[in-house]
Amino acid sequence: MKKAFLCTTVLLLILVMGLSGCGGNGNKETSPTNQPAASNKGSKATEGSETAKPPAQAEKVVFWTFVDAHQKFYESMAASWNESHPDKAIALEATTIPYDDMHTKLLVALQSGVGAPDLVDIEQSKFPNFMKGTPQLVSLNDIVEPELGNIVKSRVEIYSKDKTYYGIDYHVGATVMYYNKEMLDQAGINPDTIKTWADFETAGKQMLDKTGKPMITFEGNGNWSWWPAISQQGSDQVDENGNVTVDTPVNVKTMEFFQKMVKEGVAAVAPGAGHDTEEYFGYMDSGGAASVFMPFWFMNRFTDHIPDLKGKVIIRPMPAWVEGGNRSAGMGGTATSITNQAKNPDLIKEFLAYAKMSKEGNLQVWKQLGFDPIRTDVWSDPAMKESNKFTDYFGTDIFDTLLSVKDEIAPVHIREKSPEVFDAIRNKAMPQIFIDMKDPAKVLKEVQDSLK
Amino acid sequence: MQIERELTKNPRRRSYQLGNSQKMAPYVFVFPFLLSFAVFFAYPLINAGIMSFQEVLPGEVSFTGLDNYRGLWNEDFGAALYNSSRYTIWTLLLLIPVPMILAVLLNSKKMPWSNFFRSTLFIPALTSVVVAGVVFRLIFGELDGALMNTILHLFGISSQRWLYSSSLGMFALLVLAGWRWIGINILYFLSALQSIPAELYEAADIDGAGAFRKLIRITIPLLKPITIYVVTITIYGGYAMFTESYMLWAGKPSPQNIGLTIVGYIYQQGFQYFNLGFGSAIGITLLGITLLVSLVQLTLTGMFKKED
């Protein structure tokens, strides 16, 4: 018996050693590539004699994102960075991982303290998860603060905690109206005379009379209809201190107004119950409704998924709720952050500032990604009128519209409770109000109570 | 690997060193399982147990006693529990009798093309759930052109919003479950059917029993052990269901939680809201529920009775 035990132990040891042997080999194989990267921090100059390409001796920067286009953007920014900063070259290793997967992996990596990338994209509605406890991200104050005057401030404030900025957005996400000009002409409506939501409703009735089509669509299982509308009025789903404010009078009134429009037939609930669905793209493509308001980034859904409306869609500010009120709202977004596992955060910060805060970086955000860059001083740059697939589709006055609403974008509050609140609005409130047609005041009160 | 190589290199010396190799063999064979069990099951399970009493935040972990378990008393968990239980019951009603009958038919010598049907019915099990989920989402689309709605139109019924109502959503999940699991369960029943001795049927033929009587008196009773096994894995599969509902609603939470399952709730709380402590508490509760249901079922079917 004792002998058997001894044998087992010996066997165990052999196995364990065998396994660890494998592990060791694996490490050795990869270590040569790691070595130069680690050692060249201090001795870049001395290695200059070697005629290797910059990336070979460059600092390795691992970047995760969930959008392929973001990866391409950073790769091109890294290439131009290496050209202009040969002494601070980086070797960007960018990977695109599916949305949910990437955020989950990142959470686990940050929680366990190993395996996180240096630079990472975090989507806005996921960001509060990373602000819980002690944020495992690097403070970006020294690159954000000098530029605060030139950028839309709320685009970094949503990624902050206790006056520390942890992320920088790609874009403003200004919400605009997309009008189908052809349908408006049929109904004899001039979009520039629609100043307030009351005007809009009147125009909608005219549209319904003349064409039998709804003027606008709302999401039945999403947040992009109600949230911009309440943000226009300075309200939000969560207040500055993180309290849930779903059923405030303004919020209820807005929802009641939208529901009334649906009941009148002036508005329709989007097929697929959301604006970002295949069903909806097909519906709009065949002229299902005359307009929709969505954030700026929705432009590429038109260019890529609703091809038949090319040249027929115009971009205008949203109607205001009262004369002179805000005509836009900043919605959605993705921050790029640096994790506390980054080996050389200062260098990465410099690169991030170059890619996201600098003028040339912001111009590339428009040119490559089609987003409204966070630096408003580039909005009037002539480059914004250069021909690309967006100006071909919507005309060259896109940024004229944006400039006119520049100061009418209220900040949104993203707090710890936000992901839960968003889900409750999307999945409980919206379907009950727009599909089951229940009383908004009652539904919002229930949701508010359930979130306490 | 290492051991295998060592053993083949000089088998004689090794056997001397290790003493009686006959005695060692079982340990060697069992070891990989024990290792993977310890690393991938026991350790996470114990850790989940501990975490279910903690509030886990990055850089700040603290014990909060039973708070997480108290938090379970809410509407969402209720909805998840209701959906999972309902799904399990329906899958039991669907995935036991149907495959059993199909297996009997496929096993019958009178059945033409039986090999062809066997393989076609099994193909869904080889398909990725993710792909299947996407296809089924399109099948159950709300537009008139979606497959299910086209079928409804044939019967003069108007289009339905399949994935927005609780009962239609459950129906979609069951169609997906049936499509996916019937083939596998047929395989279990087929293998059991082949082990029933032919003499029993011959004897019944001599006694003048008809096909139905033979099914009731011989086939079904002799299938009991495998039926118990299939019921157990179906219960477990029902409560553990996640991917199907996740894919059917495109990874987004389902409207009014009609597709929320317990595992979906773990995923939502643990990873989407990063509430790992609470997620662990749900997981431990799920473990308790499945254990309890399985124990009741095994007791009722007489698994724990001593054979006389």
Side-chain angles (χ1 to χ4, degrees):
Chain A
M1 201 57 216
K2 208 175 173 187
K3 205 171 163 190
F5 177 74
L6 212 98
C7 292
T8 324
T9 324
V10 169
L11 248 177
L12 257 172
L13 269 173
I14 293 173
L15 247 174
V16 168
M17 271 149 69
L19 283 175
S20 59
C22 287
N25 280 340
N27 281 344
K28 251 174 238 158
E29 272 168 83
T30 57
S31 54
T33 51
N34 285 339
Q35 210 99 43
S39 65
N40 82 31
K41 265 180 219 160
S43 59
K44 253 170 245 152
T46 54
E47 278 179 31
S49 57
E50 262 186 52
T51 48
K53 282 190 293 179
Q57 48 166 290
E59 179 80 23
K60 191 173 109 182
V61 176
V62 178
F63 170 63
W64 286 0
T65 181
F66 52 94
V67 182
D68 193 38
H70 294 182
Q71 175 176 345
K72 291 197 184 111
F73 168 74
Y74 271 105
E75 278 166 354
S76 82
M77 290 318 283
S80 65
W81 164 267
N82 286 345
E83 262 169 40
S84 54
H85 302 77
D87 53 324
K88 291 178 180 171
I90 59 166
L92 189 76
E93 273 184 26
T95 324
T96 306
I97 308 171
Y99 178 80
D100 258 338
D101 263 11
M102 195 217 80
H103 288 100
T104 310
K105 272 192 184 134
L106 182 64
L107 275 175
V108 174
L110 291 179
Q111 174 75 34
S112 57
V114 284
D118 305 295
L119 195 63
V120 69
D121 269 357
I122 304 174
E123 201 267 333
Q124 191 186 77
S125 65
K126 294 277 184 188
F127 207 86
N129 286 338
F130 298 89
M131 291 293 100
K132 289 185 173 174
T134 316
Q136 308 287 302
L137 303 171
V138 173
S139 157
L140 301 176
N141 282 25
D142 39 342
I143 58 169
V144 169
E145 272 161 0
E147 299 288 354
L148 276 180
N150 298 323
I151 61 172
V152 178
K153 216 172 142 193
S154 67
R155 289 283 111 182
V156 287
E157 260 166 14
I158 41 184
Y159 307 118
S160 67
K161 183 180 180 180
D162 304 330
K163 302 257 179 280
T164 312
Y165 301 106
Y166 293 103
I168 303 169
D169 212 316
Y170 284 86
H171 59 68
V172 177
T175 307
V176 290
M177 284 308 294
Y178 298 89
Y179 287 108
N180 182 332
K181 186 80 173 43
E182 206 180 45
M183 289 178 73
L184 292 188
D185 288 345
Q186 267 174 33
I189 298 166
N190 176 6
D192 295 319
T193 59
I194 301 176
K195 299 281 180 208
T196 63
W197 276 105
D199 299 343
F200 188 90
E201 196 191 2
T202 320
K205 283 179 180 154
Q206 193 177 331
M207 172 67 66
L208 189 65
D209 280 348
K210 294 263 167 71
T211 66
K213 297 269 177 70
M215 180 72 176
I216 191 173
T217 57
F218 296 128
E219 294 205 308
N221 189 19
N223 228 334
W224 300 126
S225 296
W226 180 64
W227 195 15
I230 59 171
S231 174
Q232 270 189 298
Q233 304 167 76
S235 179
D236 206 334
Q237 309 177 53
V238 176
D239 73 8
E240 214 175 333
N241 304 315
N243 301 313
V244 184
T245 54
V246 162
D247 68 342
T248 57
V250 173
N251 295 358
V252 171
K253 244 178 77 187
T254 309
M255 201 75 107
E256 280 169 348
F257 177 67
F258 283 175
Q259 196 194 42
K260 188 181 125 215
M261 291 216 283
V262 173
K263 281 182 180 161
E264 289 169 348
V266 170
V269 177
H275 288 151
D276 214 346
T277 62
E278 285 301 327
E279 288 98 325
Y280 185 70
F281 299 150
Y283 171 82
M284 286 309 263
D285 204 41
S286 56
S291 73
V292 62
F293 63 87
M294 279 298 277
F296 200 78
W297 44 258
F298 198 69
M299 279 200 318
N300 73 28
R301 313 305 200 270
F302 276 99
T303 54
D304 297 356
H305 299 283
I306 314 179
D308 289 356
L309 298 190
K310 186 174 177 180
K312 296 177 192 164
V313 179
I314 53 169
I315 293 178
R316 288 289 178 273
M318 293 168 74
W321 288 91
V322 290
E323 206 89 39
N326 281 352
R327 291 174 299 157
S328 187
M331 288 286 134
T334 296
T336 309
S337 299
I338 301 171
T339 71
N340 63 357
Q341 293 174 31
K343 279 160 265 7
N344 193 349
D346 291 329
L347 172 66
I348 300 174
K349 249 191 251 181
E350 273 183 62
F351 170 64
L352 180 60
Y354 170 76
K356 282 253 183 110
M357 306 293 276
S358 72
K359 236 178 162 167
E360 55 267 56
N362 274 252
L363 283 174
Q364 291 303 323
V365 164
W366 162 246
K367 283 185 182 165
Q368 295 188 29
L369 300 171
F371 291 151
D372 41 351
I374 58 172
R375 273 187 90 105
T376 49
D377 54 352
V378 304
W379 289 6
S380 47
D381 198 282
M384 301 319 225
K385 299 213 172 188
E386 276 171 27
S387 162
N388 65 9
K389 70 171 177 181
F390 301 107
T391 52
D392 291 349
Y393 195 105
F394 298 100
T396 52
D397 61 347
I398 302 172
F399 278 90
D400 297 337
T401 303
L402 268 193
L403 277 170
S404 73
V405 297
K406 191 178 94 169
D407 301 317
E408 299 180 25
I409 298 170
V412 290
H413 304 118
I414 305 284
R415 297 291 179 269
E416 261 185 38
K417 198 90 178 155
S418 294
E420 236 175 293
V421 178
F422 297 160
D423 275 351
I425 292 295
R426 276 197 288 251
N427 309 316
K428 290 183 188 152
M430 291 297 169
Q432 286 188 37
I433 292 168
F434 287 116
I435 294 175
D436 304 341
M437 288 293 160
K438 288 191 187 162
D439 175 25
K442 218 179 116 207
V443 173
L444 288 177
K445 170 122 200 349
E446 273 170 24
V447 169
Q448 168 84 17
D449 291 344
S450 76
L451 287 168
K452 276 197 177 144
Chain B
M1 281 300 278
Q2 196 84 3
I3 293 174
E4 209 179 281
R5 232 178 289 143
E6 292 280 350
L7 284 174
T8 47
K9 225 189 275 170
N10 45 21
R12 204 168 292 158
R13 241 177 75 203
R14 178 98 351 228
S15 67
Y16 279 131
Q17 274 180 2
L18 292 179
N20 193 337
S21 63
Q22 284 271 325
K23 246 185 200 164
M24 282 311 302
Y27 296 100
V28 178
F29 287 125
V30 160
F31 182 73
F33 165 74
L34 284 182
L35 188 73
S36 67
F37 179 80
V39 174
F40 296 111
F41 290 91
Y43 172 72
L45 184 65
I46 293 167
N47 235 351
I50 298 171
M51 274 163 72
S52 70
F53 296 103
Q54 287 174 333
E55 185 179 22
V56 185
L57 293 172
E60 295 168 14
V61 178
S62 56
F63 276 92
T64 55
L66 287 172
D67 275 5
N68 287 330
Y69 288 95
R70 266 185 225 118
L72 282 178
W73 192 255
N74 71 54
E75 232 176 77
D76 291 348
F77 183 70
L81 187 60
Y82 172 68
N83 286 336
S84 283
S85 306
R86 201 159 55 126
Y87 177 79
T88 308
I89 292 168
W90 281 112
T91 46
L92 280 174
L93 293 177
L94 177 73
L95 294 181
I96 308 297
V98 176
M100 197 190 271
I101 290 165
L102 286 175
V104 170
L105 287 177
L106 286 176
N107 201 39
S108 144
K109 289 187 188 73
K110 288 173 200 149
M111 181 80 191
W113 296 64
S114 75
N115 274 332
F116 170 75
F117 287 123
R118 263 181 228 194
S119 35
T120 44
L121 283 166
F122 190 70
I123 283 175
L126 304 174
T127 318
S128 132
V129 201
V130 177
V131 176
V134 173
V135 174
F136 272 73
R137 187 163 75 235
L138 296 174
I139 291 177
F140 287 98
E142 60 179 293
L143 296 183
D144 290 342
L147 183 67
M148 283 312 276
N149 280 336
T150 322
I151 295 174
L152 285 188
H153 294 166
L154 292 179
F155 297 98
I157 306 169
S158 59
S159 293
Q160 296 291 318
R161 301 187 124 185
W162 292 94
L163 301 178
Y164 294 94
S165 107
S166 176
S167 44
L168 291 177
M170 182 57 65
F171 177 75
L173 279 174
L174 284 170
V175 172
L176 180 51
W179 174 82
R180 190 168 159 73
W181 295 109
I182 282 179
I184 295 182
N185 288 358
I186 284 179
L187 216 64
Y188 289 130
F189 285 120
L190 266 179
S191 64
L193 280 174
Q194 269 146 21
S195 67
I196 298 177
E199 295 87 45
L200 290 176
Y201 293 107
E202 283 162 18
D205 281 338
I206 294 167
D207 291 343
F212 182 70
R213 240 190 144 68
K214 278 191 283 184
L215 177 75
I216 298 290
R217 290 296 162 98
I218 302 173
T219 313
I220 291 179
L222 284 174
L223 282 179
K224 189 180 160 192
I226 200 76
T227 310
I228 293 173
Y229 172 71
V230 175
V231 168
T232 315
I233 57 166
T234 307
I235 290 178
Y236 164 75
Y239 275 105
M241 191 271 284
F242 164 63
T243 329
E244 283 90 339
S245 92
Y246 183 75
M247 291 318 299
L248 210 51
W249 279 277
K252 285 182 269 185
S254 52
Q256 301 186 49
N257 286 335
I258 54 173
L260 184 72
T261 66
I262 301 184
V263 180
Y265 193 49
I266 296 180
Y267 181 74
Q268 182 196 57
Q269 294 293 328
F271 294 113
Q272 296 192 310
Y273 303 159
F274 205 38
N275 213 339
L276 288 176
F278 187 51
S280 306
I282 307 165
I284 298 289
T285 313
L286 174 63
L287 179 72
I289 293 170
T290 33
L291 261 182
L292 193 78
V293 174
S294 297
L295 275 179
V296 168
Q297 173 249 335
L298 291 175
T299 317
L300 286 178
T301 48
M303 273 299 276
F304 297 121
K305 273 188 213 143
K306 284 234 169 91
E307 302 267 335
D308 290 321

